[in-house]
């Protein structure tokens, strides 16, 4: 693919020394629409009607509309983290709970905060508290561990 | 019905014996090849433009042999195929979770997931999933009783090396 796409993320590589406990993971804002939901269900072979059959979602399951897939929200939350840590960063663990439903057309925000930092085996390890939100409502609380290169490590 | 339940103080048993008997058992095993086109379709659906998933040169510059799959994609690499006439009425497939049935709690929803990734996978890796039912617990929430099912899953590669370990849960409501 295009070689040009690699320049910016490489230049912006996050190193362990760039981050301190309390720092924010930049928030990713997304308005999921039904087209995105359709493609996500297709990519995950998800036939669950609550994601595309409005009559089923409303009349059979009592929701206001079709629901944004929980795994799509998880994926967006992980994307906020992996975008931030850059190509030399690694997602070590990821945890998220579905606490509330989201509907297409709503503005959702995915981000987090650094809660711990240590060096282990020549890499920086960060503990993150992460969440998917709709306004002030936490729809998906979670946590993650990432590993980052140390500066001067050629990472 | 909920009203009556609250008045009489009786909570219906939502976990059939057949489901309860599955606790501790391996209920699903599946293998699948990690395919670049498939994870890129998934990544595009998530709105991803991370070059690690798309750009081999970028991936090589960051310690990989080639592009790699987004870590959360792993669980989809092993998905089997359920014929349409064997889907549940709600369109969902139980194939990857052991097809546990909760006739009195038919409204299903993903609970949560917690995964440790030991390495990222690339095109051509063959991943095997083994999923065990860790627990099936009936709980009482603010809006009534529900069933919480928790699975423990391991993912290994073609060399029998552990790729990831996951705990996932599902909520079933009346």
């Amino acid at each position: 693919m295009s070689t040009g796409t690699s320049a910016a993320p490489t230049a912006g590589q996050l190193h362990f020394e760039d981050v301190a406990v309390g720092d924010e993971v930049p928030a990713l804002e997304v308005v999921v629409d039904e087209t995105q939901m359709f493609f996500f269900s297709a990519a995950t072979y998800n036939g669950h009607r609550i994601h595309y059959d409005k009559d089923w979602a409303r009349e059979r399951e009592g929701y206001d509309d079709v629901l944004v897939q929980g795994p799509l929200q998880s994926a967006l939350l992980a994307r906020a983290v992996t975008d931030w840590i850059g190509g030399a960063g690694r997602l070590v663990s990821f945890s998220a709970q579905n606490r509330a439903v989201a509907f297409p057309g709503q503005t959702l925000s995915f981000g987090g905060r650094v809660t711990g930092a240590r060096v282990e085996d020549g890499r920086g390890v960060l503990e993150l508290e992460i969440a998917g939100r709709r306004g002030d409502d936490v729809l998906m609380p979670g946590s993650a561990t990432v590993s980052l290169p140390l500066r001067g490590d050629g990472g | 019905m909920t009203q009556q339940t609250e008045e009489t103080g009786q909570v219906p048993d939502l976990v059939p014996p057949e489901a309860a008997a599955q606790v501790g058992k391996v209920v699903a095993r599946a293998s699948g090849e990690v395919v670049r086109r498939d994870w890129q379709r998934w990544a595009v659906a998530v709105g991803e433009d991370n070059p690690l998933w798309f750009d081999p040169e970028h991936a090589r510059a960051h310690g990989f042999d080639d592009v790699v799959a987004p870590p959360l994609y792993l669980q989809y690499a092993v998905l089997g195929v359920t014929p349409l006439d064997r889907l549940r009425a709600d369109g969902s497939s139980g194939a990857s979770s052991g097809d546990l049935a909760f006739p009195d709690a038919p409204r299903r929803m993903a609970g949560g997931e917690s995964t440790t990734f030991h390495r990222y996978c690339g095109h051509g890796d063959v991943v095997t999933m083994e999923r065990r039912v860790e627990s099936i617990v009936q709980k009482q929430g603010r809006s009534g009783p529900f069933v919480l099912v928790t699975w423990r899953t391991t993912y290994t590669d073609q060399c029998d090396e552990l790729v990831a370990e996951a705990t996932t849960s599902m909520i079933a409501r009346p």
Side-chain angles (χ1 to χ4, degrees):
Chain A
M1 276 190 206
S2 160
T3 52
T5 55
S6 65
T10 306
Q13 178 60 50
L14 189 71
H15 290 81
F16 179 70
E17 292 85 348
D18 302 333
V19 188
V21 170
D23 283 0
E24 301 275 327
V25 176
L28 170 70
E29 285 210 345
V30 179
V31 179
V32 175
D33 64 14
E34 290 175 27
T35 304
Q36 183 171 14
M37 289 167 56
F38 166 80
F39 275 101
F40 190 80
S41 278
T44 56
Y45 198 71
N46 183 348
H48 204 168
R49 289 178 182 275
I50 57 172
H51 304 306
Y52 60 86
D53 184 336
K54 283 182 194 287
D55 289 343
W56 181 281
R58 288 175 175 146
E59 289 158 25
R60 298 291 292 268
E61 305 221 11
Y63 299 113
D64 292 339
D65 197 352
V66 288
L67 306 183
V68 175
Q69 298 93 333
L72 174 54
Q73 294 179 58
S74 293
L76 289 163
L77 188 52
R79 176 186 150 198
V81 174
T82 51
D83 282 354
W84 178 60
I85 60 178
R90 299 285 180 268
L91 185 65
V92 176
S93 72
F94 176 87
S95 181
Q97 293 83 49
N98 282 333
R99 187 174 284 175
V101 299
F103 299 108
Q106 298 179 332
T107 300
L108 306 179
S109 170
F110 301 89
R113 198 171 55 87
V114 179
T115 57
R118 63 182 187 275
V119 174
E120 207 174 276
D121 299 330
R123 298 267 296 179
V125 177
L126 301 180
E127 300 294 342
L128 310 174
E129 177 186 272
I130 52 177
R133 291 186 165 83
R134 178 181 50 220
D136 292 332
D137 292 338
V138 175
L139 306 183
M140 179 170 275
S143 60
T145 308
V146 298
S147 124
L148 287 175
L150 303 177
R151 202 169 276 292
D153 205 25
Chain B
M1 206 162 89
T2 308
Q3 287 289 342
Q4 277 180 353
T5 301
E6 282 170 3
E7 281 164 16
T8 60
Q10 288 179 343
V11 178
D13 189 356
L14 303 176
V15 183
E18 303 80 46
Q22 297 299 307
V23 174
K25 293 188 178 161
V26 172
V27 291
R29 274 196 190 88
S31 291
E33 192 167 356
V34 180
V35 177
R36 180 171 41 224
R37 180 198 58 202
D38 292 350
W39 88 59
Q40 291 180 348
R41 286 178 175 170
W42 182 91
V44 164
V46 180
E48 297 261 10
D49 58 5
N50 192 326
L52 277 185
W53 330 137
F54 296 99
D55 180 353
E57 204 168 306
H58 180 85
R60 280 193 282 271
H62 291 92
F64 297 106
D65 295 337
D66 199 343
V67 284
V68 286
L72 264 66
Y73 172 76
L74 179 66
Q75 61 195 296
Y76 304 107
V78 298
L79 276 184
V81 177
T82 303
L84 297 185
D85 63 3
R86 281 194 233 151
L87 295 173
R88 299 184 182 113
D90 69 3
S92 64
S93 161
S96 64
S97 57
D99 215 5
L100 296 171
F102 300 96
D104 296 323
R107 299 192 312 157
R108 290 163 175 268
M109 182 181 290
E113 59 185 293
S114 180
T115 308
T116 299
F117 301 99
H118 299 289
R119 73 167 178 89
Y120 286 10
C121 286
H123 183 75
D125 277 333
V126 177
V127 174
T128 298
M129 170 205 85
E130 189 176 273
R131 179 163 289 174
R132 187 182 296 273
V133 180
E134 185 173 75
S135 63
I136 302 177
V137 185
Q138 181 164 332
K139 296 194 169 203
Q140 188 68 25
R142 266 178 303 180
S143 58
F146 65 93
V147 180
L148 177 67
V149 183
T150 305
W151 292 273
R152 281 284 296 169
T153 308
T154 57
Y155 296 88
T156 49
D157 65 12
Q158 60 275 19
C159 303
D160 279 336
E161 286 185 14
L162 198 57
V163 171
E165 299 166 274
T167 301
T168 51
S169 63
M170 184 268 288
I171 292 164
R173 297 178 189 280

mmCIF file of all heavy atoms in Angstrom, chain B residues 84-115:
data_model
loop_
_atom_site.group_PDB
_atom_site.id
_atom_site.type_symbol
_atom_site.label_atom_id
_atom_site.label_comp_id
_atom_site.label_asym_id
_atom_site.label_seq_id
_atom_site.Cartn_x
_atom_site.Cartn_y
_atom_site.Cartn_z
ATOM 1 N N LEU B 84 -28.295 -20.478 7.650
ATOM 2 C CA LEU B 84 -29.321 -19.501 8.042
ATOM 3 C C LEU B 84 -30.492 -20.152 8.763
ATOM 4 O O LEU B 84 -31.036 -19.586 9.700
ATOM 5 C CB LEU B 84 -29.817 -18.739 6.803
ATOM 6 C CG LEU B 84 -28.759 -17.892 6.095
ATOM 7 C CD1 LEU B 84 -29.404 -17.100 4.953
ATOM 8 C CD2 LEU B 84 -28.045 -16.950 7.053
ATOM 9 N N ASP B 85 -30.859 -21.364 8.333
ATOM 10 C CA ASP B 85 -32.025 -21.981 8.976
ATOM 11 C C ASP B 85 -31.700 -22.567 10.344
ATOM 12 O O ASP B 85 -32.571 -23.119 11.007
ATOM 13 C CB ASP B 85 -32.671 -23.026 8.047
ATOM 14 C CG ASP B 85 -31.732 -24.180 7.730
ATOM 15 O OD1 ASP B 85 -30.600 -24.194 8.273
ATOM 16 O OD2 ASP B 85 -32.117 -25.066 6.940
ATOM 17 N N ARG B 86 -30.459 -22.438 10.759
ATOM 18 C CA ARG B 86 -30.126 -22.903 12.112
ATOM 19 C C ARG B 86 -29.811 -21.753 13.066
ATOM 20 O O ARG B 86 -29.385 -21.966 14.200
ATOM 21 C CB ARG B 86 -28.940 -23.870 12.062
ATOM 22 C CG ARG B 86 -29.390 -25.259 11.614
ATOM 23 C CD ARG B 86 -28.317 -26.290 11.872
ATOM 24 N NE ARG B 86 -28.037 -27.024 10.659
ATOM 25 C CZ ARG B 86 -26.864 -27.573 10.363
ATOM 26 N NH1 ARG B 86 -25.848 -27.447 11.193
ATOM 27 N NH2 ARG B 86 -26.695 -28.239 9.236
ATOM 28 N N LEU B 87 -30.009 -20.534 12.593
ATOM 29 C CA LEU B 87 -29.853 -19.394 13.501
ATOM 30 C C LEU B 87 -31.014 -19.396 14.488
ATOM 31 O O LEU B 87 -32.088 -19.927 14.204
ATOM 32 C CB LEU B 87 -29.859 -18.083 12.705
ATOM 33 C CG LEU B 87 -28.693 -17.882 11.737
ATOM 34 C CD1 LEU B 87 -28.914 -16.623 10.895
ATOM 35 C CD2 LEU B 87 -27.368 -17.774 12.511
ATOM 36 N N ARG B 88 -30.804 -18.771 15.628
ATOM 37 C CA ARG B 88 -31.906 -18.619 16.574
ATOM 38 C C ARG B 88 -32.926 -17.640 15.993
ATOM 39 O O ARG B 88 -32.627 -16.907 15.039
ATOM 40 C CB ARG B 88 -31.380 -18.051 17.893
ATOM 41 C CG ARG B 88 -30.342 -18.922 18.580
ATOM 42 C CD ARG B 88 -30.010 -18.256 19.923
ATOM 43 N NE ARG B 88 -28.980 -18.986 20.645
ATOM 44 C CZ ARG B 88 -27.759 -18.507 20.871
ATOM 45 N NH1 ARG B 88 -27.412 -17.313 20.445
ATOM 46 N NH2 ARG B 88 -26.887 -19.220 21.551
ATOM 47 N N ALA B 89 -34.102 -17.584 16.627
ATOM 48 C CA ALA B 89 -35.146 -16.679 16.125
ATOM 49 C C ALA B 89 -34.653 -15.231 16.088
ATOM 50 O O ALA B 89 -35.046 -14.454 15.213
ATOM 51 C CB ALA B 89 -36.386 -16.784 17.005
ATOM 52 N N ASP B 90 -33.774 -14.896 17.024
ATOM 53 C CA ASP B 90 -33.305 -13.507 17.056
ATOM 54 C C ASP B 90 -32.142 -13.266 16.089
ATOM 55 O O ASP B 90 -31.535 -12.197 16.097
ATOM 56 C CB ASP B 90 -32.928 -13.087 18.484
ATOM 57 C CG ASP B 90 -31.677 -13.789 19.017
ATOM 58 O OD1 ASP B 90 -31.051 -14.574 18.282
ATOM 59 O OD2 ASP B 90 -31.332 -13.536 20.196
ATOM 60 N N GLY B 91 -31.848 -14.284 15.268
ATOM 61 C CA GLY B 91 -30.812 -14.103 14.250
ATOM 62 C C GLY B 91 -29.413 -14.417 14.724
ATOM 63 O O GLY B 91 -28.480 -14.472 13.929
ATOM 64 N N SER B 92 -29.242 -14.635 16.026
ATOM 65 C CA SER B 92 -27.898 -14.884 16.537
ATOM 66 C C SER B 92 -27.528 -16.350 16.374
ATOM 67 O O SER B 92 -28.386 -17.213 16.218
ATOM 68 C CB SER B 92 -27.790 -14.465 18.012
ATOM 69 O OG SER B 92 -28.634 -15.260 18.814
ATOM 70 N N SER B 93 -26.223 -16.597 16.410
ATOM 71 C CA SER B 93 -25.719 -17.965 16.298
ATOM 72 C C SER B 93 -25.041 -18.324 17.609
ATOM 73 O O SER B 93 -24.298 -17.529 18.163
ATOM 74 C CB SER B 93 -24.696 -18.043 15.165
ATOM 75 O OG SER B 93 -23.904 -19.196 15.310
ATOM 76 N N GLY B 94 -25.301 -19.529 18.087
ATOM 77 C CA GLY B 94 -24.680 -19.933 19.350
ATOM 78 C C GLY B 94 -23.440 -20.777 19.142
ATOM 79 O O GLY B 94 -22.863 -21.286 20.095
ATOM 80 N N ALA B 95 -23.006 -20.905 17.895
ATOM 81 C CA ALA B 95 -21.957 -21.872 17.572
ATOM 82 C C ALA B 95 -20.662 -21.656 18.347
ATOM 83 O O ALA B 95 -20.039 -22.616 18.792
ATOM 84 C CB ALA B 95 -21.674 -21.828 16.072
ATOM 85 N N SER B 96 -20.273 -20.400 18.512
ATOM 86 C CA SER B 96 -18.967 -20.164 19.124
ATOM 87 C C SER B 96 -19.027 -20.151 20.639
ATOM 88 O O SER B 96 -18.011 -20.017 21.303
ATOM 89 C CB SER B 96 -18.383 -18.852 18.607
ATOM 90 O OG SER B 96 -19.194 -17.784 19.016
ATOM 91 N N SER B 97 -20.214 -20.286 21.213
ATOM 92 C CA SER B 97 -20.321 -20.182 22.668
ATOM 93 C C SER B 97 -20.939 -21.410 23.293
ATOM 94 O O SER B 97 -21.331 -21.396 24.455
ATOM 95 C CB SER B 97 -21.117 -18.931 23.044
ATOM 96 O OG SER B 97 -22.375 -18.974 22.426
ATOM 97 N N GLY B 98 -21.072 -22.476 22.520
ATOM 98 C CA GLY B 98 -21.580 -23.708 23.094
ATOM 99 C C GLY B 98 -23.083 -23.855 23.011
ATOM 100 O O GLY B 98 -23.656 -24.793 23.527
ATOM 101 N N ASP B 99 -23.739 -22.882 22.352
ATOM 102 C CA ASP B 99 -25.171 -22.965 22.101
ATOM 103 C C ASP B 99 -25.979 -23.194 23.379
ATOM 104 O O ASP B 99 -26.894 -24.008 23.407
ATOM 105 C CB ASP B 99 -25.456 -24.088 21.090
ATOM 106 C CG ASP B 99 -26.627 -23.712 20.189
ATOM 107 O OD1 ASP B 99 -27.108 -22.563 20.303
ATOM 108 O OD2 ASP B 99 -27.045 -24.560 19.404
ATOM 109 N N LEU B 100 -25.638 -22.493 24.430
ATOM 110 C CA LEU B 100 -26.410 -22.601 25.659
ATOM 111 C C LEU B 100 -27.796 -21.996 25.430
ATOM 112 O O LEU B 100 -27.919 -20.951 24.808
ATOM 113 C CB LEU B 100 -25.708 -21.820 26.783
ATOM 114 C CG LEU B 100 -24.334 -22.333 27.199
ATOM 115 C CD1 LEU B 100 -23.689 -21.334 28.154
ATOM 116 C CD2 LEU B 100 -24.444 -23.697 27.846
ATOM 117 N N ALA B 101 -28.811 -22.675 25.924
ATOM 118 C CA ALA B 101 -30.179 -22.182 25.712
ATOM 119 C C ALA B 101 -30.790 -21.735 27.040
ATOM 120 O O ALA B 101 -30.703 -22.444 28.046
ATOM 121 C CB ALA B 101 -31.024 -23.283 25.083
ATOM 122 N N PHE B 102 -31.391 -20.554 27.020
ATOM 123 C CA PHE B 102 -32.101 -20.030 28.185
ATOM 124 C C PHE B 102 -33.496 -19.606 27.722
ATOM 125 O O PHE B 102 -33.743 -18.422 27.472
ATOM 126 C CB PHE B 102 -31.346 -18.843 28.792
ATOM 127 C CG PHE B 102 -29.962 -19.207 29.247
ATOM 128 C CD1 PHE B 102 -28.866 -18.984 28.425
ATOM 129 C CD2 PHE B 102 -29.764 -19.820 30.476
ATOM 130 C CE1 PHE B 102 -27.601 -19.354 28.830
ATOM 131 C CE2 PHE B 102 -28.489 -20.192 30.889
ATOM 132 C CZ PHE B 102 -27.403 -19.962 30.066
ATOM 133 N N PRO B 103 -34.410 -20.594 27.596
ATOM 134 C CA PRO B 103 -35.737 -20.297 27.018
ATOM 135 C C PRO B 103 -36.499 -19.220 27.790
ATOM 136 O O PRO B 103 -37.285 -18.486 27.192
ATOM 137 C CB PRO B 103 -36.462 -21.640 27.113
ATOM 138 C CG PRO B 103 -35.396 -22.673 27.282
ATOM 139 C CD PRO B 103 -34.248 -22.000 27.966
ATOM 140 N N ASP B 104 -36.251 -19.120 29.103
ATOM 141 C CA ASP B 104 -36.970 -18.112 29.883
ATOM 142 C C ASP B 104 -36.218 -16.789 29.962
ATOM 143 O O ASP B 104 -36.651 -15.856 30.651
ATOM 144 C CB ASP B 104 -37.229 -18.641 31.305
ATOM 145 C CG ASP B 104 -38.150 -19.855 31.279
ATOM 146 O OD1 ASP B 104 -39.079 -19.863 30.441
ATOM 147 O OD2 ASP B 104 -37.921 -20.788 32.073
ATOM 148 N N ALA B 105 -35.083 -16.720 29.294
ATOM 149 C CA ALA B 105 -34.297 -15.468 29.268
ATOM 150 C C ALA B 105 -33.739 -15.296 27.854
ATOM 151 O O ALA B 105 -32.536 -15.418 27.631
ATOM 152 C CB ALA B 105 -33.182 -15.510 30.312
ATOM 153 N N PRO B 106 -34.629 -15.021 26.908
ATOM 154 C CA PRO B 106 -34.211 -15.045 25.498
ATOM 155 C C PRO B 106 -33.497 -13.778 25.012
ATOM 156 O O PRO B 106 -32.904 -13.787 23.938
ATOM 157 C CB PRO B 106 -35.546 -15.206 24.755
ATOM 158 C CG PRO B 106 -36.562 -14.598 25.654
ATOM 159 C CD PRO B 106 -36.073 -14.783 27.052
ATOM 160 N N ARG B 107 -33.545 -12.711 25.791
ATOM 161 C CA ARG B 107 -32.931 -11.463 25.304
ATOM 162 C C ARG B 107 -31.454 -11.456 25.673
ATOM 163 O O ARG B 107 -31.096 -11.323 26.840
ATOM 164 C CB ARG B 107 -33.641 -10.245 25.907
ATOM 165 C CG ARG B 107 -35.118 -10.191 25.532
ATOM 166 C CD ARG B 107 -35.724 -8.863 25.890
ATOM 167 N NE ARG B 107 -35.403 -8.446 27.244
ATOM 168 C CZ ARG B 107 -35.431 -7.188 27.664
ATOM 169 N NH1 ARG B 107 -35.742 -6.226 26.839
ATOM 170 N NH2 ARG B 107 -35.143 -6.899 28.911
ATOM 171 N N ARG B 108 -30.627 -11.598 24.660
ATOM 172 C CA ARG B 108 -29.195 -11.766 24.886
ATOM 173 C C ARG B 108 -28.428 -10.491 24.604
ATOM 174 O O ARG B 108 -28.761 -9.752 23.689
ATOM 175 C CB ARG B 108 -28.650 -12.837 23.943
ATOM 176 C CG ARG B 108 -29.116 -14.209 24.305
ATOM 177 C CD ARG B 108 -28.902 -15.158 23.149
ATOM 178 N NE ARG B 108 -29.259 -16.497 23.574
ATOM 179 C CZ ARG B 108 -28.394 -17.363 24.082
ATOM 180 N NH1 ARG B 108 -27.123 -17.064 24.154
ATOM 181 N NH2 ARG B 108 -28.802 -18.539 24.494
ATOM 182 N N MET B 109 -27.364 -10.308 25.355
ATOM 183 C CA MET B 109 -26.534 -9.135 25.154
ATOM 184 C C MET B 109 -25.115 -9.468 25.614
ATOM 185 O O MET B 109 -24.937 -10.181 26.603
ATOM 186 C CB MET B 109 -27.111 -8.016 26.015
ATOM 187 C CG MET B 109 -26.402 -6.713 25.902
ATOM 188 S SD MET B 109 -27.184 -5.535 27.008
ATOM 189 C CE MET B 109 -28.740 -5.288 26.169
ATOM 190 N N ALA B 110 -24.136 -8.962 24.885
ATOM 191 C CA ALA B 110 -22.749 -9.176 25.303
ATOM 192 C C ALA B 110 -22.546 -8.537 26.673
ATOM 193 O O ALA B 110 -23.063 -7.450 26.947
ATOM 194 C CB ALA B 110 -21.799 -8.563 24.278
ATOM 195 N N GLY B 111 -21.820 -9.207 27.544
ATOM 196 C CA GLY B 111 -21.554 -8.662 28.874
ATOM 197 C C GLY B 111 -20.256 -7.892 28.876
ATOM 198 O O GLY B 111 -20.219 -6.673 28.978
ATOM 199 N N GLY B 112 -19.178 -8.608 28.734
ATOM 200 C CA GLY B 112 -17.885 -7.941 28.732
ATOM 201 C C GLY B 112 -16.825 -8.877 28.213
ATOM 202 O O GLY B 112 -17.083 -10.059 27.964
ATOM 203 N N GLU B 113 -15.644 -8.329 28.030
ATOM 204 C CA GLU B 113 -14.534 -9.146 27.567
ATOM 205 C C GLU B 113 -13.261 -8.653 28.230
ATOM 206 O O GLU B 113 -13.125 -7.470 28.536
ATOM 207 C CB GLU B 113 -14.397 -9.076 26.041
ATOM 208 C CG GLU B 113 -14.183 -7.670 25.511
ATOM 209 C CD GLU B 113 -14.170 -7.627 23.983
ATOM 210 O OE1 GLU B 113 -13.239 -8.182 23.408
ATOM 211 O OE2 GLU B 113 -15.092 -7.039 23.393
ATOM 212 N N SER B 114 -12.376 -9.598 28.469
ATOM 213 C CA SER B 114 -11.097 -9.253 29.073
ATOM 214 C C SER B 114 -10.068 -10.198 28.473
ATOM 215 O O SER B 114 -10.161 -11.405 28.635
ATOM 216 C CB SER B 114 -11.181 -9.442 30.592
ATOM 217 O OG SER B 114 -9.940 -9.114 31.163
ATOM 218 N N THR B 115 -9.125 -9.631 27.740
ATOM 219 C CA THR B 115 -8.198 -10.468 26.981
ATOM 220 C C THR B 115 -6.761 -10.046 27.222
ATOM 221 O O THR B 115 -6.456 -8.854 27.259
ATOM 222 C CB THR B 115 -8.501 -10.378 25.461
ATOM 223 O OG1 THR B 115 -9.878 -10.643 25.257
ATOM 224 C CG2 THR B 115 -7.663 -11.374 24.670
#
